[in-house]
Amino acid sequence: LSNCNTPAKKQEAITINPDSLVLNIDRFIDSKVIVEGEIIHVCEITGTKMKLRTGNGAIIKISPKDSLIKYDTTYYKKNIRVTGTVKESRILPEYINKVEIDKTLLCHIDRTPCKDTIWIRKQIEKGISDSLSKRDVDKLRNTMIQTGKNYVSIVTIIADNIAILDDKK
């Protein structure tokens, strides 16, 4: 009976291969994980998200737990180890249809509308914004076909800690 008043233990982080995380997202939502991978993009507009590429080329969005933290290019092209909580957002067909109609240019990290107004303006001036939007719509629809799901999963880790790994492996 003395153990009944013991405070609950903090959830221990599980080390997982990032490709396994993406493939089995349903099993890991709200779990603490440790994942390693290469950062291939840091959002310079908001500083609140990075794009981690897995060994098989899947993408995991990395966002800070603390909203005051902003990422900079220090992480770009670096292998990192991130510890944090797994979340999933889903892109539904209705959203894809709206993007297609509005010809929205999407963030390539999480497929939300891009906030880089300078980049957007350049794409419009070059005359390629509509084709870029169509390409994103086609990719999203193809992902749904390939996965056999009526949504596209965006895997996110809300980062408690990020460490840059030694490049000499």
Side-chain angles (χ1 to χ4, degrees), residues 23 37 86 110 167:
L23 289 172
V86 177
D110 59 11
D167 292 329

Side-chain angles (χ1 to χ4, degrees), residues 38-44 47 50 70-80 162-165 167:
E38 181 186 8
I39 296 298
I40 60 169
H41 182 75
V42 178
C43 178
E44 293 181 37
M50 297 190 294
K70 302 290 184 221
Y71 298 129
D72 61 32
T73 55
T74 303
Y75 297 104
Y76 181 64
K77 291 288 185 186
K78 301 283 193 219
N79 288 312
I80 67 159
I162 297 176
I164 296 175
L165 301 175
D167 292 329

Side-chain angles (χ1 to χ4, degrees), residues 20-34:
S20 295
L21 174 62
V22 171
L23 289 172
N24 300 292
I25 183 63
D26 293 341
R27 292 181 24 209
F28 294 101
I29 294 172
D30 294 326
S31 296
K32 285 273 193 190
V33 297
I34 300 169

Side-chain angles (χ1 to χ4, degrees), residues 18-169:
D19 286 303
S20 295
L21 174 62
V22 171
L23 289 172
N24 300 292
I25 183 63
D26 293 341
R27 292 181 24 209
F28 294 101
I29 294 172
D30 294 326
S31 296
K32 285 273 193 190
V33 297
I34 300 169
V35 170
E36 294 181 3
E38 181 186 8
I39 296 298
I40 60 169
H41 182 75
V42 178
C43 178
E44 293 181 37
I45 302 305
T46 66
T48 59
K49 51 189 170 182
M50 297 190 294
K51 185 175 180 178
L52 182 143
R53 180 176 51 207
T54 71
N56 289 339
I59 299 302
I60 297 175
K61 175 183 168 183
I62 307 297
S63 290
K65 180 178 180 180
D66 182 342
S67 63
L68 298 177
I69 292 176
K70 302 290 184 221
Y71 298 129
D72 61 32
T73 55
T74 303
Y75 297 104
Y76 181 64
K77 291 288 185 186
K78 301 283 193 219
N79 288 312
I80 67 159
R81 177 181 298 120
V82 59
T83 304
T85 304
V86 177
K87 298 293 181 184
E88 178 194 44
S89 57
R90 293 181 176 183
I91 297 174
L92 302 174
E94 297 80 12
Y95 175 79
I96 298 170
N97 293 339
K98 181 168 178 17
V99 166
E100 182 176 42
I101 292 166
D102 296 344
K103 299 181 179 179
T104 307
L105 291 175
L106 300 177
C107 169
H108 56 92
I109 297 175
D110 59 11
R111 303 302 180 206
T112 58
C114 181
K115 294 180 181 179
D116 187 343
T117 56
I118 295 170
W119 179 82
I120 291 170
R121 186 174 61 244
K122 286 180 183 177
Q123 305 321 302
I124 292 169
E125 288 169 0
K126 290 182 202 173
I128 61 172
S129 63
D130 289 356
S131 63
L132 291 174
S133 178
K134 180 179 180 345
R135 181 195 66 192
D136 285 344
V137 166
D138 291 345
K139 281 184 179 179
L140 291 169
R141 288 188 174 135
N142 285 336
T143 298
M144 287 193 306
I145 291 167
Q146 291 169 353
T147 61
K149 297 176 181 175
N150 66 344
Y151 61 89
V152 175
S153 177
I154 303 297
V155 178
T156 301
I157 296 177
I158 307 300
D160 295 321
N161 184 39
I162 297 176
I164 296 175
L165 301 175
D166 185 5
D167 292 329
K168 302 170 193 165
K169 287 192 172 185

